[in-house]
Amino acid sequence: MRKLPIALTAAAAAAVATPALAADLNVTVQIPTLSVAAYHRPYVAVWIERPDNTAVRTLAVWYEVSNVREGKDWLKDMRTWWRRGGQSLNLPADGVSSATKAPGTHTVRIPAARLRDLPAGDYVIVVEAARELGGREAVRVPFRWGAPNTGRAAGTRELGAVTVAVTR
């Protein structure tokens, strides 16, 4: 008889202490097709920041992972990400690093377990793209961690629509 209230109390405390555990984060990034003479797929970094621009966590880095040395040389062209934590990240990193993507729409899905230590609150997803012989662009999308919501913004050249969805 005494075990049931203890188990219920522990479960309720866990639910209150970690309200964001049940949420997944999905970031959809559109890479536009560009009509240029020499097209190179962009390097892209996706990360979470606090509203004061403090970096919290890198979620994805798309770069030339097959050529580790040369691929890393170009990462600093994503200047904002590089300064806010990219330079201290050990790459390739499991679950973060992957190859560059062709034009189209791509989704970064972050399961709730990977963000279990992220306190509920307001954050910003930043997506930055830099392309060899091309431009650089960053798109910022505010979102709230801990409750279902969506956000959207769009770039003007190197990035298209960026959508953020927190789901339960």
Side-chain angles (χ1 to χ4, degrees):
M1 290 291 283
R2 292 178 114 338
K3 290 183 180 177
L4 182 58
I6 291 171
L8 287 175
T9 302
V16 170
T18 56
L21 269 179
D24 290 333
L25 178 66
N26 295 297
V27 180
T28 304
V29 178
Q30 182 184 39
I31 297 175
T33 301
L34 300 176
S35 181
V36 293
Y39 180 79
H40 298 274
R41 293 179 178 184
Y43 280 26
V44 174
V46 180
W47 73 97
I48 298 173
E49 285 185 351
R50 292 185 185 90
D52 67 358
N53 298 334
T54 306
V56 173
R57 182 170 309 163
T58 297
L59 302 176
V61 180
W62 303 338
Y63 69 104
E64 189 177 358
V65 290
S66 61
N67 186 347
V68 174
R69 185 176 175 182
E70 195 170 310
K72 285 183 176 180
D73 283 347
W74 297 100
L75 289 172
K76 55 185 164 260
D77 284 359
M78 296 185 288
R79 296 187 303 247
T80 305
W81 170 75
W82 186 255
R83 279 186 246 129
R84 294 199 179 141
Q87 61 188 324
S88 62
L89 187 64
N90 289 323
L91 293 171
D94 282 345
V96 173
S97 302
S98 65
T100 58
K101 310 288 186 210
T105 302
H106 306 278
T107 300
V108 177
R109 183 169 188 261
I110 309 298
R114 196 166 146 201
L115 297 173
R116 67 179 170 267
D117 59 342
L118 185 67
D122 294 326
Y123 296 92
V124 177
I125 286 287
V126 185
V127 179
E128 183 174 22
R131 195 167 45 84
E132 184 180 349
L133 303 175
R136 184 191 72 83
E137 184 170 37
V139 173
R140 304 174 63 81
V141 182
F143 73 100
R144 178 148 182 82
W145 182 244
N149 63 93
T150 59
R152 162 177 250 177
T156 58
R157 175 102 175 130
E158 301 296 330
L159 291 168
V162 175
T163 304
V164 177
V166 178
T167 61
R168 290 242 172 226

